Structures are given as C-alpha cells and as structure tokens.
Amino acid sequence: MSGAAKSEWSAKNPYYTNITENYILNGEGSKKETRHVVFALGDSGLDYKVGDALGVIPENPPHIVDELIEAQGWDKDSIVTTHNGERTLYEALKKDFEVHMASKKFVQSLAQKVVASGIKINVKMVSRSRGDAIWNASENEPLPPELKPSAPSDDPADKVEHLNTDEKAMEDYLWTRDYVDIMREFDAKYSPEEFFELAGRVKPRLYSIASSHDAHPGLVELTVGIVRFSYHGRNRGGLCTQFMADEIGNSDQKVGVFMSPTKSFVLPEDKDIDIIMVGPGTGIAPFRAFMEQRVFDGGNGRNWLFFGDQSSKTEFYYKD
Ligand SMILES: Cc1cc2nc3c(=O)[nH]c(=O)nc-3n(C[C@H](O)[C@H](O)[C@H](O)COP(=O)(O)OP(=O)(O)OC[C@H]3O[C@@H](n4cnc5c(N)ncnc54)[C@H](O)[C@@H]3O)c2cc1C
C-alpha cells in the first residue's frame, strides 16, 4: 500500500462510495464545525500516500434545489439534457450545476430580462449640481464622476445597470445572495435551458488526506471545516462541506471520490531524519497522516507538530 499507483478513477470518472464515520471534532460551545470524515475505498483499488489529497464531488442542498424550482415554477420531473446527459430537472439541478451561489453571468443576464418584462421609460437629465460642481446637458460633456449617483434608484432596471457597471457593487451583491434571492427580487423567469447556460458546472473540491493508508487499510480520512452562513433569513454555506455534513453519512447516499496525488509534499525517505510540521486549524490534516505514517514506519526520526486554533478547550483536534 501507499504506493499510489495510477488508477482508473478520476474527477470525470469518480468512484462512488459510502462514508463510514462522520463526527464533529469541536468541543461543546465551539463556534466552529470541524468534522472527521471517513470514506470506504471498497473494491475500488484506490491507493494513496501521505500528502495526497482526495477529490470529492459535491451536490447541492435539497432545500435550495426545491426553492429554485418553486421560484421558477418549473416541473421537477421534466426531462432535460445537460453536459451529463438526459435526466430529470431535479437531478440536473442537484448534481450538475452549482446552484448554491449565483454567477456574475446570471446577474448580467438580468439586463435583458428586467427591461423586457417592464415598461422602459427614458428620462433625460438636463442639469445636475453638487457643491461647486455644475453640469448642463447642453454642453455635450459626459456627466463628471463626482456628479454620478452613488446609489441606484428603486427602479429594477436601474439597479441591474448599477450592478453591471460597478464591479464592487456586483461583488458585494453576489456575496450575500444566491439564485433564489435574485429571482425573487427581480421576479425574473428563465427556462431551465437558459438557466443551465448561466450557472456554473459542479466542480470537485480537494481535501488533504488525514490518514495513512498503511495504518487504515481500505479507508481514507479527512478533517473538514464546514462553511455555514446565513443571509436574508436563509441558511446557506459551502457546497461540498454542507454536503458532507448534512447529507452523506446520515443515509446510504453515495459520494463520488478520486485521488489527487502530490509529487512534492512528501515525507523524507530516510525514516531517521527529524521533521518539524506546522498545521493550524484544518491544516493539521496532512500532518496527522504524516504522524501516522512515521509511527507505522517505525524509524528513529523525531517529529514535532505545531498546531493552533481559536481555543484549546474546543478546537484541540486529535488531542489523543
Ligand atoms: C489541496 C487542497 C487541500 C485542501 N484541504 C482541505 C482540508 O484538509 N480541509 C478543509 O476543510 N478544506 C480543505 N481545502 C479547501 C476545500 O477544497 C474547499 O475549498 C472548502 O472545503 C470549501 O468548499 P465548499 O464547497 O464547502 O465551499 P464553496 O461552495 O466552494 O464556497 C466557499 C465560498 O463561500 C464563500 N463564503 C465563505 N464564507 C462566506 C460568508 N460568510 N458569506 C458569504 N460567502 C462566504 C467564499 O467566498 C467561498 O468562495 C483544501 C483545498 C485544496 C486546494
């Protein structure tokens, strides 16, 4: 084991497996949620060495998929075609596109939707003044920056234009909103096919492996910091971490994984060499694996692991 031979499983062809253990490492009262998650490698033939990472294929939270379908009045059982072939609309939204956060492309597309669904009224500004600055339309000069409105009006088309012309405003807007928020705000309707063109495809996430395969044959273990936040009265968070915390491990649901081997992040071949490791927070993951491997290999080299986090009472992961 631990030779990490090239395998048939990859990001495009992941191995579907179960989680055998999934528990919180933080002590009571912690503000963080860090989990130890163990995957079975079953009959995959997958192997790894310490320092490698595991690729995990995430899925969207069911409540967000349901809200999206409801916001658009779509039929969840209708058959659609995506880059992954024919499937129900529900499955496509759950597995093929990242619907937990909105894309910039989607907000840009509102420029067509909002104007087309409302009455477009042209209002011409004839003059504007602020402090000593005065501008008259008759001068054929563009409005100077200091006289440009700093906030958009309540008109939806105006707001979309503001977002599409001010990068910072777009960034701030997207930080706290997903597709459901935006569709509700602008009452904008899309066909599933239009939506697929605008949403990003699901991408795998990588996690440093926190175990030695020699010490845990047939298993691969991770240390995962779960990303959760709440805006506009709705709970949301990171795609893959929420998936691992809330969906898999609590049911028979399978999850797609593959190995992402490292060339440079490796233990010294000489087992008698001393090593110093620094891994705060979930950064401890690969060094837990290094420690396990060093114990398994039984050399004379000494090991120092420096670890830190918010509180020693609640975040002292793997204290034992
Ligand atoms: C080689 C490698 C090894 C890694 N090892 C580990 C590991 O061992 N353990 C580990 O936990 N992670 C690890 N990561 C990180 C991991 O891959 C993911 O990036 C991480 O888990 C977040 O994924 P997610 O899908 O849950 O979040 P995403 O869906 O990708 O979302 C995260 C996004 O949420 C946004 N966000 C965060 N907080 C807020 C907020 N309050 N409001 C609005 N938006 C917010 C951020 O902008 C960020 O873009 C590793 C990454 C790499 C590349």
Side-chain angles (χ1 to χ4, degrees):
M1 251 177 251
S2 73
K6 200 165 162 47
S7 90
E8 63 186 288
W9 309 110
S10 64
K12 289 209 169 115
N13 179 36
Y15 174 66
Y16 279 88
T17 187
N18 286 108
I19 281 184
T20 62
E21 278 185 86
N22 185 350
Y23 56 85
I24 295 177
L25 291 164
N26 314 82
E28 212 172 299
S30 171
K31 291 196 178 78
K32 291 192 175 191
E33 182 180 341
T34 306
R35 287 176 173 262
H36 187 72
V37 186
V38 182
F39 298 75
L41 293 178
D43 58 0
S44 65
L46 278 168
D47 192 11
Y48 61 88
K49 62 183 183 307
V50 296
D52 288 350
L54 184 76
V56 179
I57 312 287
E59 290 184 20
N60 291 285
H63 72 275
I64 293 191
V65 176
D66 287 337
E67 285 174 315
L68 186 57
I69 288 172
E70 197 196 316
Q72 290 298 299
W74 290 332
D75 172 5
K76 71 186 181 98
D77 297 319
S78 62
I79 301 298
V80 293
T81 306
T82 74
H83 52 282
N84 286 327
E86 269 199 357
R87 51 202 38 229
T88 64
L89 176 60
Y90 184 89
E91 201 181 355
L93 294 172
K94 178 102 174 70
K95 297 181 178 174
D96 294 352
F97 300 94
E98 300 208 355
V99 305
H100 72 307
M101 287 187 143
S103 69
K104 201 167 155 183
K105 225 164 130 186
F106 182 78
V107 177
Q108 285 164 346
S109 80
L110 287 170
Q112 307 302 320
K113 293 281 172 186
V114 172
V115 170
S117 60
I119 303 168
K120 200 173 177 189
I121 302 169
N122 286 315
V123 178
K124 198 171 174 206
M125 199 187 296
V126 289
S127 72
R128 176 171 275 245
S129 66
R130 188 179 290 156
D132 292 338
I134 301 170
W135 170 84
N136 288 304
S138 57
E139 288 166 8
N140 275 342
E141 290 285 324
L143 190 65
E146 67 270 25
L147 289 179
K148 284 198 172 161
S150 52
S153 72
D154 287 342
D155 179 70
D158 202 12
K159 183 161 188 189
V160 170
E161 194 189 334
H162 176 66
L163 291 172
N164 285 333
T165 50
D166 183 331
E167 229 169 88
K168 178 79 175 69
M170 172 73 96
E171 207 179 287
D172 291 347
Y173 184 77
L174 287 173
W175 182 253
T176 67
R177 288 171 182 82
D178 66 5
Y179 293 113
V180 175
D181 296 314
I182 301 170
M183 286 166 174
R184 285 179 183 161
E185 181 176 348
F186 291 97
D187 194 22
K189 298 287 183 218
Y190 290 78
S191 69
E193 289 72 21
E194 277 178 305
F195 181 73
F196 298 161
E197 287 293 317
L198 299 166
R201 294 180 180 186
V202 161
K203 288 178 290 301
R205 303 319 196 240
L206 293 181
Y207 294 90
S208 300
I209 293 175
S211 54
S212 147
H213 207 185
D214 287 320
H216 303 271
L219 299 173
V220 57
E221 311 192 354
L222 306 181
T223 310
V224 182
I226 310 301
V227 180
R228 294 190 196 274
F229 42 91
S230 177
Y231 289 111
H232 312 295
R234 294 177 54 236
N235 292 334
R236 51 197 88 194
L239 183 62
C240 197
T241 54
Q242 283 194 122
F243 178 56
M244 283 195 266
D246 301 340
E247 280 195 70
I248 48 175
N250 305 325
S251 66
D252 285 342
Q253 189 168 342
K254 302 250 182 208
V255 53
V257 297
F258 61 94
M259 291 298 166
S260 176
T262 176
K263 280 195 182 126
S264 50
F265 187 39
V266 292
L267 278 173
E269 272 177 32
D270 183 349
K271 298 172 183 43
D272 294 333
I273 288 183
D274 297 340
I275 59 169
I276 299 173
M277 299 164 277
V278 182
T282 55
I284 193 175
F287 299 124
R288 178 182 185 264
F290 278 25
M291 289 290 285
E292 285 189 348
Q293 192 64 46
R294 294 274 282 189
V295 171
F296 182 89
D297 290 344
N300 291 319
R302 289 169 298 171
N303 308 296
W304 282 279
L305 171 57
F306 291 90
F307 169 75
D309 209 318
Q310 258 170 18
S311 157
S312 60
K313 278 201 194 103
T314 50
E315 270 75 56
F316 204 158
Y317 313 139
Y318 308 115
K319 191 176 180 182
D320 308 333

